[in-house]
Amino acid sequence: MPDGKSVSSQKVGLALGSGSARGWAHIGVIRALADAGIEVSYVAGTSIGALVGAGFALDKTDVLEDFARHLDWKQIVSFLDVTFPRSGLIDGEKVTDFFRSHMRKMKIEELPLPYCAVATDLATGNEVVLCKGDLVEAIRASISIPGIFTPVKLNNAFLVDGGLVNPVPVSAARNLGADYVIAVDLSHDLVDKGRPSASATKDSSPKGEVDKSQLAKWGINQDLADKINQLSSPALSHVRRWLLREPTPNIFEVLTASINIMESQITAIKLKTDPPDLLIQPKLGHLRFMEFHKADEAIAEGYRATMRQLKQSRKGAAKGELPS
């Protein structure tokens, strides 16, 4: 296990996995590694891991952490530009504009730390590792969750979330040049905790508006429902009925639960075929897809899980079970 004494002999790579709101845990992981004296030489990220990884590569983790800890529901909803019935529920332009307001226009190859973001080619299904080109476009492509964010057209291809093919990008970190890869898996305890359930509550509102207690179950608040209610067309009246009132899993529950199942399965396979040297698995399966306002909890658990795993790995190293 690399530490402050031996890190110079091994180039450490950090593979930050996908996980929507749980991704703030990556900040805690980064803090713990720094406190343990571990120097990271490369960083690869998928989805939210690409965002946090970019902040780390820019040496802007402090700025990102401050933003995450002060994020509230009003700000979250302000980023959501609902675009029915396009190729995603959310256009993502507001997210892109926000990134650009906090990052000067920069190419990935200009970053102080070697970095890459993982996306998926929607046409071929191939993994696309973005190590060159516009940084914000790479992040935006990597976070484009299918069905929720519209795809990003980049280099004549439509790109979506890298979690479809490589949720924890160990291979990408190795390809950057890492000798020792520390990976963060945020999906290991999702299934069973993020399960959609049919609602037994019938809609009692003549306008079909959503009760906040129902929305809280899947991490969306009343402000987003209001945006959806403002849209009008015969087709959208059916969408609202599906999304807000039917006593069955709604569209967000189906999408997010499906993504959780898919990423859990793919991650398990990937970690077996290409295992990292150190695996960190914060216990955050109870956090919902859109609960980005719970950064304090996610960061704290990322820090705890990292310190816990470092302690265990160093005990193993003392017994000759892990490289030093």
Side-chain angles (χ1 to χ4, degrees):
M1 173 63 215
D3 53 30
K5 296 180 180 178
S6 61
V7 70
S8 60
S9 63
Q10 295 189 85
K11 296 295 184 181
V12 176
L14 189 56
L16 302 178
S18 57
S20 61
R22 299 180 305 280
W24 294 140
H26 293 318
I27 295 173
V29 172
I30 290 167
R31 294 297 188 208
L33 293 177
D35 287 350
I38 297 172
E39 180 182 349
V40 175
S41 300
Y42 308 95
V43 60
T46 296
S47 197
I48 185 67
L51 171 59
V52 178
F56 178 54
L58 278 165
D59 196 24
K60 297 286 187 182
T61 302
D62 288 345
V63 176
L64 185 61
E65 180 174 356
D66 182 69
F67 164 76
R69 289 188 184 277
H70 289 90
L71 192 62
D72 59 27
W73 260 118
K74 288 185 179 180
Q75 289 173 293
I76 294 169
V77 172
S78 73
F79 296 140
L80 306 182
D81 35 1
V82 181
T83 59
F84 291 113
R86 293 181 58 184
S87 52
L89 300 180
I90 298 168
D91 186 62
E93 287 303 314
K94 290 184 179 179
V95 174
T96 301
D97 291 344
F98 171 78
F99 290 161
R100 292 208 182 279
S101 71
H102 286 76
M103 302 177 186
R104 68 177 179 84
K105 190 172 181 61
M106 175 181 286
K107 293 185 179 297
I108 294 173
E109 52 268 41
E110 296 172 349
L111 290 170
L113 194 70
Y115 162 90
C116 68
V118 176
T120 303
D121 187 320
L122 192 58
T124 66
N126 291 333
E127 177 180 348
V128 178
V129 180
L130 300 168
C131 298
K132 296 180 180 180
D134 186 88
L135 175 62
V136 171
E137 286 296 317
I139 296 170
R140 173 67 176 84
S142 189
I143 68 171
S144 295
I145 301 168
I148 296 179
F149 280 99
T150 54
V152 171
K153 188 174 183 181
L154 193 62
N155 300 326
N156 297 317
F158 284 101
L159 304 182
V160 293
D161 196 317
L164 272 68
V165 290
N166 201 351
V168 184
V170 175
S171 57
R174 291 199 194 282
N175 288 336
L176 283 175
D179 303 312
Y180 190 103
V181 175
I182 299 172
V184 186
D185 167 25
L186 300 175
S187 66
H188 71 289
D189 64 342
L190 279 181
V191 179
D192 292 335
K193 292 188 179 181
R195 181 186 304 163
S197 58
S199 171
T201 304
K202 293 184 179 180
D203 176 47
S204 59
S205 168
K207 294 182 180 180
E209 295 191 2
V210 191
D211 180 71
K212 288 185 180 181
S213 63
Q214 291 295 100
L215 290 164
K217 294 180 181 179
W218 42 286
I220 301 293
N221 79 339
Q222 187 68 48
D223 292 334
L224 179 55
D226 290 342
K227 282 195 173 188
I228 295 168
N229 283 328
Q230 289 169 7
L231 300 170
S232 60
S233 78
L236 288 178
S237 68
H238 292 291
V239 172
R240 279 195 291 272
R241 197 158 57 241
W242 297 333
L243 179 59
L244 307 177
R245 297 185 300 188
E246 289 294 323
T248 57
N250 57 60
I251 188 172
F252 272 98
E253 288 179 314
V254 172
L255 282 171
T256 58
S258 299
I259 290 167
N260 288 345
I261 292 167
M262 176 196 68
E263 289 196 352
S264 295
Q265 296 289 336
I266 295 173
T267 298
I269 294 169
K270 283 282 189 179
L271 291 178
K272 285 183 179 179
T273 58
D274 190 10
D277 298 285
L278 183 70
L279 179 62
I280 299 166
Q281 295 178 311
K283 298 177 180 178
L284 291 168
H286 59 285
L287 287 190
R288 299 290 179 173
F289 174 79
M290 290 291 290
E291 291 183 323
F292 287 97
H293 59 296
K294 295 188 176 181
D296 289 350
E297 180 180 353
I299 293 170
E301 172 56 20
Y303 189 94
R304 282 193 299 267
T306 304
M307 285 304 194
R308 184 167 56 244
Q309 196 61 30
L310 288 175
K311 184 177 180 180
Q312 291 176 1
S313 66
R314 280 170 175 156
K315 286 181 179 178
K319 298 176 182 179
E321 296 174 3
L322 288 174
S324 60

